[in-house]
Amino acid sequence: MILLNILNFTLPLENPVLKFLVILIIILAAPILLNKLKIPHILGLIIAGAIIGPNGFNLLMRDSSIILSGTAGLLYIMFLAGLEIDLAEFKKNSNKSLVFGLYTFIIPMTLGTLSGLYILNLSVLASVLLASMFASHTLIAYPIIAKLGVTKNRAVNISIGGTMITDTLALLVLAVIVGMATGEVNQAFWTRLSISILVFGLIVMFLFPIIGRWFLKRYQDNVSQYIFVLVMVFLGAVLAEAAGIEAIIGAFLSGLALNRLIPSTSPLMNRIEFVGNAVFIPFFLIGVGMLVDYRAFFTDFETIKVAAVMTIVATSAKYIAAWLTQKTFNYSIDERRIIFGLSNAQAAATLAAILVAYNVIIGETENGEPIRLLNESILNGTIIMILITCTIASFAAQKGGKNISLAESSIAESDDSVNNERILIPISNPDTIDELINLSTIIKSKENINELFALKIINSENESDVSAKKLLDRAVITASATDIKLNKLLRYDLNIVNGITSVIKEQKITDLVLGLHVKKGITESFLGKLTEGILSKCNTTTLVYKPVQPISTIKNHVVIVPQNAEKEIGFPFWLLKVWNISRNSGSRLVFYANENTIKVIKEIQSKHPIDADFKIFDDWNDFLIIARDLKTDDNLIIVLSRMHKPSYHENMINIPFYLNKYFQSNSFILVYPMQIGVTDNETIDLNNPSLLEPIEKLDEIGKNITRLFRRK
């Protein structure tokens, strides 16, 4: 009895330990139980919140702790949407995002205003405000899309872009209507709002990346980096509120601002997603469920009427917008489902609008009771609408996302040409292990989760097994932070080159990542030893990497490509790795090559868009041109070749001199293309017309590059 008195089981629970335990049990159990019924887990959390909330069994109150955690979860959802968006696709689809954003704003605004005026008999201001609630939406279903691995799909990209547009416009309508209702809209109001939004946008989009790059270059501690990211999210949210718009816009723009600094394959991204999906986002969903009042269905006919009208109008308007978008851009039915699923859920901005409007008093009755801009029936109807639209959105997004994910998986499984990607990382220097692993996770294909190998060769009697195993364990820990299993290989061999080449043959390695010490220069003898020792004995795409700064903080990757590189058999394979660097990190590629090579690469870019620039470069004797263009935060990638091969240039032997003279303060990667099927005595017929065809013909000399890129 004493124990029970101490714990205090009276309802609602007040003991913070018990409250937190109940929430954790819900977060754990709801997805497990509802998955058997094929109900989306986010819907299960909302239903669970309704059951335990003040309108259910009253286990928990929706107090300040729930509101605080829920607000953090909402901002987290918007931040992740900005952080995970494919910026190249986003830029490519910016016009489509604008079209969808206008569809999903104008249609609900029109239908909502008419229904408010003629069905619910509201005033003009109240009707327009109600319509703005229909126009806004929350990316409740985004975690479902992320879990299915289709966040890079074009439908997801335009949905996120359209969300930013319609939510911004809807929240501006909210600010204007409330101002008009309280008599505060004047020229000063518009001037203040315009200037504050402009200043806010400039600070977040231009200053945040500078601060982020500075911090991530100097502080490698995992905890410090994660806390820094949280600081930037909430700072962006606070600045948005100070500018007169909702915090969710600030969180989304913070994600966009930090997008290029947090690669999708990085340990930091993995921590951000893990904590958000495990804690913050579930708290938000449970908090939304706590607002639902089922009793309104049985006690107030007006609430039922209002809820029915609001739900039908909001859902119909969002479906029409998604359908028009599908027809306008010739998207598939599943892509329409994703657009509709992501845009139909009413939650965050809708809650903000109804709570603000409900608290606006526009007069008094004869009895002295306040007349609100939107009454209590609208408030209760909104909560019911939130539950129903979130339910519909969850099922729609899950169905569309599953179908697209299955289609992409079937394409990947039918393509055996890259199923054998196996990346080897020889390690010896503790200072370079983390960056070698980070580079390997960035260049790998998305489907490759277990084909990374860390190799430690013991070639001296003075080196113990214990120290070698410690290095391998450190590499495994670094890789595990990205949810990638790293295979450990320990080998005894007096000759390092023989040890590496033997492992390459035994493990059927396709890609080799070698590291250089950051404090040492590169010598001609070292390059010669690599070329003669490793490259002449194995047929792997080889990358020699010297990290001066974390690869996530790189702004541009300057890629030097020799003439006739596209005519070598290894061309599509090294290019795919370079492509992955841009896609997985969001950084820009700047290709320096001759006109013919640029033409081929541009054709690839047109089908598989990334952020890339192209500059004509023909003279390998004048690397000073590159040095003048290279900035501090740029990485240099030099594609090399072997003697007597189509892209070999005699000046390649001077690369060590150029690197030591011009590029000491820059990270660099030396790329040696795969030479499979070409011996040292063979040459390729450069007059063969099939080698001069665009990308579709490259499969004749390097399998099928289109299929390689399609997997991404």
Side-chain angles (χ1 to χ4, degrees):
M1 292 299 295
I2 296 176
L3 179 61
L4 293 178
N5 289 334
I6 293 175
L7 290 177
N8 187 7
F9 282 100
T10 58
L11 300 181
L13 297 175
E14 295 182 359
N15 186 300
V17 178
L18 279 176
K19 290 169 63 177
F20 199 71
L21 175 62
V22 169
I23 292 176
L24 289 180
I25 291 174
I26 291 171
I27 294 174
L28 175 64
I32 296 175
L33 296 175
L34 293 175
N35 277 346
K36 296 180 180 179
L37 303 175
K38 297 184 179 180
I39 297 176
H41 70 281
I42 61 173
L43 178 57
L45 292 172
I46 294 175
I47 295 174
I51 294 173
I52 68 168
N55 300 314
F57 289 107
N58 197 28
L59 286 176
L60 300 177
M61 290 294 293
R62 193 173 187 271
D63 55 17
S64 58
S65 62
I66 297 294
I67 294 173
L68 174 62
S69 303
T71 301
L74 170 60
L75 297 179
Y76 223 97
I77 290 176
M78 297 303 296
F79 173 68
L80 281 175
L83 193 63
E84 294 183 345
I85 194 170
D86 188 326
L87 288 181
E89 285 286 338
F90 184 67
K91 186 182 296 184
K92 177 185 176 184
N93 296 314
S94 58
N95 292 334
K96 296 178 181 178
S97 294
L98 177 61
V99 171
F100 169 65
L102 293 177
Y103 279 159
T104 200
F105 175 76
I106 294 173
I107 295 172
M109 283 296 297
T110 303
L111 296 181
T113 302
L114 293 175
S115 62
L117 286 172
Y118 299 108
I119 300 178
L120 300 178
N121 299 318
L122 301 175
S123 65
V124 174
L125 287 182
S127 297
V128 173
L129 183 55
L130 182 71
S132 72
M133 292 162 51
F134 299 158
S136 66
H137 57 254
T138 303
L139 297 172
I140 285 285
Y142 186 82
I144 295 177
I145 299 299
K147 188 176 181 180
L148 292 171
V150 293
T151 56
K152 304 295 185 183
N153 184 272
R154 58 185 181 178
V156 178
N157 271 282
I158 72 164
S159 297
I160 294 173
T163 298
M164 183 176 65
I165 294 168
T166 190
D167 279 5
T168 302
L169 293 175
L171 294 170
L172 287 175
V173 170
L174 170 65
V176 172
I177 294 298
V178 171
M180 293 176 66
T182 56
E184 296 179 357
V185 173
N186 49 38
Q187 185 174 354
F189 169 85
W190 290 110
T191 303
R192 182 174 64 254
L193 184 64
S194 301
I195 294 175
S196 60
I197 291 176
L198 178 62
V199 172
F200 154 73
L202 291 175
I203 290 175
V204 174
M205 296 309 296
F206 291 98
L207 189 58
F208 274 30
I210 296 174
I211 297 173
R213 182 169 281 106
W214 176 86
F215 187 92
L216 295 176
K217 283 174 65 174
R218 287 161 178 78
Y219 301 96
Q220 302 298 310
D221 177 65
N222 295 336
V223 175
S224 297
Q225 288 188 346
Y226 180 75
I227 298 300
F228 169 78
V229 170
L230 287 184
V231 168
M232 301 306 287
V233 174
F234 284 90
L235 178 58
V238 169
L239 291 175
E241 290 186 332
I245 56 179
E246 277 298 307
I248 56 176
I249 304 299
F252 176 76
L253 290 182
S254 296
L256 283 181
L258 299 179
N259 184 288
R260 296 184 184 277
L261 298 175
I262 306 177
S264 59
T265 59
S266 66
L268 179 56
M269 173 64 89
N270 191 53
R271 285 190 290 274
I272 291 171
E273 291 180 333
F274 174 78
V275 176
N277 292 326
V279 181
F280 287 116
I281 295 175
F283 265 92
F284 165 67
L285 297 171
I286 291 172
V288 170
M290 287 182 175
L291 291 169
V292 177
D293 186 359
Y294 292 107
R295 292 172 296 186
F297 279 108
F298 309 102
T299 59
D300 186 359
F301 176 76
E302 183 64 21
T303 297
I304 298 174
K305 173 188 173 184
V306 170
V309 171
M310 293 178 68
T311 303
I312 292 171
V313 173
T315 303
S316 300
K318 292 298 184 180
Y319 182 84
I320 292 171
W323 181 81
L324 285 175
T325 303
Q326 177 205 358
K327 296 302 180 183
T328 301
F329 304 119
N330 196 28
Y331 283 2
S332 68
I333 293 176
D334 287 318
E335 287 175 317
R336 184 193 68 207
R337 290 188 178 116
I338 284 183
I339 296 172
F340 174 63
L342 287 174
S343 63
N344 186 50
Q346 309 289 322
T350 306
L351 280 174
I354 187 59
L355 293 177
V356 170
Y358 181 74
N359 291 322
V360 174
I361 308 299
I362 59 175
E364 291 184 355
T365 65
E366 295 179 355
N367 299 327
E369 295 181 358
I371 299 176
R372 303 179 183 276
L373 184 56
L374 292 178
N375 59 34
E376 192 167 342
S377 294
I378 301 291
L379 175 63
N380 290 330
T382 300
I383 303 304
I384 296 172
M385 178 189 70
I386 287 174
L387 174 63
I388 297 175
T389 56
C390 288
T391 302
I392 296 172
S394 300
F395 279 107
Q398 180 171 269
K399 184 170 184 179
K402 271 188 175 180
N403 290 342
I404 289 177
S405 180
L406 289 172
E408 291 179 351
S409 298
S410 64
I411 291 175
E413 290 173 2
S414 65
D415 180 13
D416 297 330
S417 63
V418 291
N419 279 347
N420 61 344
E421 179 189 67
R422 299 165 72 86
I423 300 175
L424 178 66
I425 313 152
I427 58 174
S428 59
N429 186 349
D431 295 335
T432 60
I433 289 178
D434 289 352
E435 277 305 304
L436 287 177
I437 300 298
N438 290 338
L439 174 64
S440 300
T441 58
I442 285 177
I443 65 171
K444 76 176 187 66
S445 299
K446 180 174 62 176
E447 296 79 8
N448 183 353
I449 57 174
N450 292 321
E451 302 300 333
L452 266 65
F453 299 82
L455 169 65
K456 180 66 179 81
I457 296 178
I458 299 178
N459 67 328
S460 171
E461 294 181 356
N462 297 326
E463 189 172 6
S464 67
D465 292 3
V466 175
S467 61
K469 290 177 180 178
K470 283 183 178 179
L471 285 179
L472 288 173
D473 289 339
R474 176 174 172 179
V476 169
I477 292 172
T478 301
S480 65
T482 62
D483 280 343
I484 294 175
K485 180 184 176 182
L486 187 69
N487 301 284
K488 296 188 294 184
L489 300 175
L490 183 62
R491 190 179 185 91
Y492 298 86
D493 202 311
L494 294 177
N495 188 299
I496 294 179
V497 172
N498 287 341
I500 293 175
T501 54
S502 297
V503 170
I504 288 173
K505 294 175 182 177
E506 293 167 4
Q507 299 295 334
K508 299 180 180 179
I509 299 298
T510 60
D511 303 277
L512 178 65
V513 178
L514 301 171
L516 291 177
H517 196 290
V518 67
K519 296 180 180 179
K520 295 181 180 179
I522 186 169
T523 64
E524 184 177 354
S525 61
F526 176 83
L527 279 178
K529 185 177 181 180
L530 269 179
T531 304
E532 298 299 325
I534 296 178
L535 300 178
S536 62
K537 295 182 179 181
C538 61
N539 296 321
T540 61
T541 301
T542 303
L543 289 80
V544 182
Y545 180 37
K546 178 183 177 182
V548 173
Q549 66 185 73
I551 196 166
S552 62
T553 63
I554 296 295
K555 281 187 177 180
N556 304 301
H557 294 272
V558 177
V559 188
I560 316 300
V561 186
Q563 184 177 358
N564 296 323
E566 71 276 12
K567 299 174 183 177
E568 292 215 20
I569 196 168
F571 172 73
F573 299 96
W574 70 256
L575 187 62
L576 178 61
K577 304 306 174 188
V578 172
W579 226 257
N580 286 347
I581 291 176
S582 177
R583 285 205 164 175
N584 292 328
S585 68
S587 53
R588 177 186 290 108
L589 300 179
V590 183
F591 288 94
Y592 283 74
N594 71 348
E595 190 172 350
N596 290 334
T597 304
I598 285 178
K599 182 179 179 182
V600 173
I601 298 176
K602 277 187 174 180
E603 186 161 352
I604 297 171
Q605 188 202 22
S606 67
K607 299 178 180 179
H608 312 280
I610 56 168
D611 190 2
D613 290 332
F614 302 89
K615 297 186 178 182
I616 301 296
F617 177 69
D618 290 310
D619 190 1
W620 273 61
N621 294 308
D622 190 7
F623 257 68
L624 186 59
I625 296 175
I626 309 296
R628 285 197 295 262
D629 292 346
L630 210 66
K631 303 296 188 298
T632 303
D633 292 321
D634 291 348
N635 175 49
L636 184 65
I637 300 177
I638 304 177
V639 181
L640 300 171
S641 184
R642 293 187 295 180
M643 196 172 295
H644 307 306
K645 303 310 173 192
S647 64
Y648 179 77
H649 190 283
E650 59 183 9
N651 205 41
M652 288 181 180
I653 61 174
N654 295 322
I655 292 299
F657 170 77
Y658 294 141
L659 292 173
N660 288 327
K661 183 175 181 179
Y662 301 127
F663 309 108
Q664 279 279 6
S665 60
N666 292 97
S667 299
F668 64 77
I669 302 173
L670 305 180
V671 179
Y672 290 86
M674 180 185 67
Q675 300 289 340
I676 187 170
V678 181
T679 67
D680 289 337
N681 297 321
E682 291 178 336
T683 59
I684 292 180
D685 182 8
L686 300 185
N687 295 318
N688 185 345
S690 67
L691 300 181
L692 302 179
E693 292 293 328
I695 196 60
E696 286 78 7
K697 291 296 183 182
L698 285 174
D699 59 344
E700 299 177 10
I701 58 171
K703 300 185 181 179
N704 191 329
I705 192 171
T706 299
R707 294 171 67 195
L708 283 170
F709 278 93
R710 187 172 58 191
R711 288 172 59 87
K712 296 302 295 171

